[in-house]
Each structure stands twice: as structure tokens, then as C-alpha cells.
Amino acid sequence: MGILNVTPDSFSDGGAHRQVEDAVRVALQMEADGADIIDIGGESTRPYSDVVEAEQETSRVLPVIEQLAGRLTIPISIDTSKAEVAERALDAGAEIINDVTGLEGDPLMGELARQRSVGVCVMHMKGTPQTMQDDPCYEDVVAEIERYLVERLQACERIGIRRDRICLDPGIGFGKTHEHNLTLLRATRRFVELGSPLLIGHSRKGFIAKLIGDPLADRTAATLGVSLAVAAAGAQVIRVHDVKPTVDALKLFEASGGLN
């Protein structure tokens, strides 16, 4: 899953793709580089980010989706927690809703997903982007997030969203300390065993800078290290900014026995 943020303030690439033509060019290149999904977002969910109104968020993502829908051969995912934004994105050609609130932030989101028979990515987040890093605490981070994902999977099925359309995401960096993130990554196989596709979104995040000891260092190689580890543990969707290095690394990792 290639990340395409059309925002001014996302933590890593904010402002990089604000012009529609730039965003379209990057998305097409991601597909050429081997991406299987393009995930387009118009609101930053980094820690302490500002809330964006639905109309502004829509104005950012819709022109890009409209231009890409007839040119990409891979699915477009809309990264939003607002049903209004998701509906307009689906009308424009998106096929997946990627919701950091686990379809709980907007009471209309679940029904929209059911009615439109689209894929959904259901993520765990403790609190909101504005509060999630205010001393996040767990008694057992793996067990608690596993329980939450099972509950959300069952809730989606109860309202008529088919299991084969549901992807689960433990929410790396969303209301977790650096150690929580590492603990969750080491538990990837346990989340895979829940039986739904698992999405891991670790790309360029703060725990990586913490581990390599330099907040200003390029995080591509370190992100690749995590990508290979979670792929080996069975994660089916790896959400990254740098598609080509990831695809190349996975090809060679698989060819040399890493995914066996």
C-alpha cells in the first residue's frame, strides 16, 4: 500500500503532494514501482494534528481520485474517518475505506461501507490524534489490541460487512509508546492468526528514529527492516511511503527464502 498524503502537515511528507498534478504523478509512479493499493489521505493524523473539516478534506482528495480512477489499474483507498468524505471518494472511484477510528468515529461509516460493499481497513487508536500520545498506558498492549480488533471484526460482520472485505490494523504509532510499537510488531504473527488480512503502517515513524538514534536521519532503510520482519510474520498489507525500495527488498527477500 503506497501512501499518498495530499496534506500540508502530515508528519513525513506533508506538503509534498499538494498540487493535483504532483499527486497524480507520484501515484502513477507508485503503481509502476509495484504498489498494489494507493492510499490517499487529506487530513493528517500525526500526534497533535489539527482537525480538518469534511469539505476541506474532500477538496484535497477528490480532484486526485477523480484523475487517478481512470488511469490506475490498482485499487484506491481513501484514508478518512468521515463518512461524508468517504462517500464522495467512493463516488469518484475509491474502493477501500481506511479508517483510523476503526469505523467508530462517524456513526454513518459502517453503514456506508456495508451499502457500498467496499473493503475496509479497521485500525486501533487509543484516543484521538490530538490526545493519543498523552501518556498511553496498557496492562497488556498485545492482548488489549487483539481484543479490540476481534470486537471490531465482529461488529462489522454484525452490520453486514463481509469478513473477506475487512482488513485489521493494530495502529502502530497511534496511542502507543516506542516500546508498545515494538511489542506489537513482534506480535505480528499473533494478529495474523485472527484470520483477516493484517495491515502494518510503520513507515518512517518516530519509534524508528528513536531506535536508530538520530531524529534527522533518513528512515528508508530502517523502515525496510521492519517491512521484511512483518512480511516474514505473515502481514499481508504493508503501508509505506517508499514503494520501490520496499517492492525490491521483498522480491529479493522472498527469492532468498525469507518468506518461506
Side-chain angles (χ1 to χ4, degrees):
M1 178 182 274
I3 300 169
L4 185 65
N5 289 318
V6 287
T7 61
D9 57 345
S10 290
F11 80 94
S12 180
D13 58 352
H17 313 127
R18 293 183 70 185
Q19 298 299 316
V20 173
E21 57 270 25
D22 291 336
V24 170
R25 174 182 50 79
V26 169
L28 293 172
Q29 186 61 55
M30 285 181 178
E31 180 181 40
D33 289 340
D36 297 300
I37 304 169
I38 303 296
D39 190 41
I40 301 176
E43 178 181 32
S44 173
T45 51
R46 63 179 172 78
Y48 308 111
S49 56
D50 294 327
V51 175
V52 175
E53 295 300 319
E55 191 58 38
Q56 183 177 14
E57 187 180 345
T58 301
S59 72
R60 292 173 177 175
V61 300
L62 209 60
V64 179
I65 296 172
E66 288 172 342
Q67 288 208 27
L68 287 172
R71 301 174 68 180
L72 290 173
T73 62
I74 59 176
I76 295 170
S77 169
I78 177 63
D79 180 359
T80 186
S81 58
K82 302 180 185 72
E84 178 183 343
V85 177
E87 183 171 22
R88 295 182 67 181
L90 296 176
D91 289 342
E95 300 176 59
I96 300 167
I97 298 170
N98 182 15
D99 187 349
V100 298
T101 71
L103 274 64
E104 292 190 289
D106 186 325
L108 301 178
M109 189 70 92
E111 179 60 17
L112 173 66
R114 185 197 67 79
Q115 288 180 351
R116 301 296 288 268
S117 297
V118 294
V120 294
C121 297
V122 176
M123 196 192 80
H124 172 274
M125 174 170 55
K126 193 177 186 74
T128 69
Q130 294 72 42
T131 65
M132 63 187 183
Q133 293 309 118
D134 294 341
D135 191 29
C137 297
Y138 303 86
E139 290 187 13
D140 184 330
V141 66
V142 174
E144 290 176 44
I145 292 176
E146 179 183 47
R147 184 162 56 248
Y148 173 84
L149 293 177
V150 169
E151 289 172 353
R152 293 310 302 149
L153 177 62
Q154 293 171 344
C156 287
E157 288 188 295
R158 281 196 300 271
I159 65 170
I161 301 174
R162 286 177 12 206
R163 179 179 282 253
D164 63 0
R165 295 187 181 276
I166 304 168
C167 177
L168 304 177
D169 179 352
I172 301 300
F174 285 82
K176 286 89 177 174
T177 65
H178 297 318
E179 187 53 44
H180 289 149
N181 291 324
L182 293 171
T183 300
L184 291 169
L185 290 169
R186 290 192 291 265
T188 295
R189 196 173 301 279
R190 180 165 164 181
F191 293 118
V192 169
E193 290 172 354
L194 295 178
S196 290
L198 182 71
L199 185 155
I200 299 292
H202 58 288
S203 185
R204 302 183 187 173
K205 289 188 174 176
F207 78 96
I208 291 176
K210 176 75 172 180
L211 267 180
I212 60 180
D214 183 355
L216 301 179
D218 184 281
R219 303 178 191 179
T220 305
T223 296
L224 285 174
V226 179
S227 298
L228 297 180
V230 298
Q236 294 93 340
V237 184
I238 300 174
R239 185 177 184 273
V240 294
H241 297 85
D242 302 292
V243 170
K244 183 168 174 50
T246 305
V247 171
D248 289 348
L250 286 168
K251 283 180 181 177
L252 271 295
F253 190 62
E254 181 177 22
S256 55
L259 296 182
N260 294 336

